[in-house]
Amino acid sequence: MPTVEEFSKRWIKEFVEQGRNAYGVRLARQRLKDHSIPVIGSHRLDRLKISHLRELRSSLEAKDLSAGSVRHILGDIRTMLRYAMDCGLLAQSPW
């Protein structure tokens, strides 16, 4: 089972690059690198819990990011977890 960081690379390649323009792809990569991966990247996808996602949200709020930035970062994670379900890696999202 891949970690969140490992699966995020697959999600970028198979999902994000297919549906977003170059700028959107760059933003998704940057948001993962700067915010999500440092907090939840080492967790195995199948062991990711709502408590980890709450920790991510708290870390984002502590950075004093705009509400829109927080929504985009969390939205990317939510979309990635749905894609993991579509790929058969998760039975349900911890979201």
Side-chain angles (χ1 to χ4, degrees), residues 3-9 11-12 28-43 45 55-56 59-60 63 73 77 80:
T3 63
V4 171
E5 181 174 16
E6 291 165 347
F7 186 73
S8 73
K9 294 172 187 171
W11 175 70
I12 290 285
R29 280 192 179 116
Q30 196 66 45
R31 288 191 287 252
L32 284 166
K33 178 180 170 273
D34 291 347
H35 305 292
S36 303
I37 298 304
V39 179
I40 62 171
S42 64
H43 294 287
L45 209 52
E55 178 185 354
L56 173 60
S59 76
L60 297 173
K63 292 180 180 183
I73 294 162
I77 296 301
M80 184 179 70

Side-chain angles (χ1 to χ4, degrees), residues 18-62:
Q18 306 307 313
R20 298 184 191 180
N21 62 26
Y23 180 69
V25 172
R26 227 177 10 259
L27 281 175
R29 280 192 179 116
Q30 196 66 45
R31 288 191 287 252
L32 284 166
K33 178 180 170 273
D34 291 347
H35 305 292
S36 303
I37 298 304
V39 179
I40 62 171
S42 64
H43 294 287
R44 275 182 36 168
L45 209 52
D46 61 338
R47 294 191 179 153
L48 192 64
K49 306 221 177 300
I50 190 69
S51 60
H52 301 127
L53 299 172
R54 287 185 184 126
E55 178 185 354
L56 173 60
R57 181 184 204 91
S58 293
S59 76
L60 297 173
E61 291 170 349

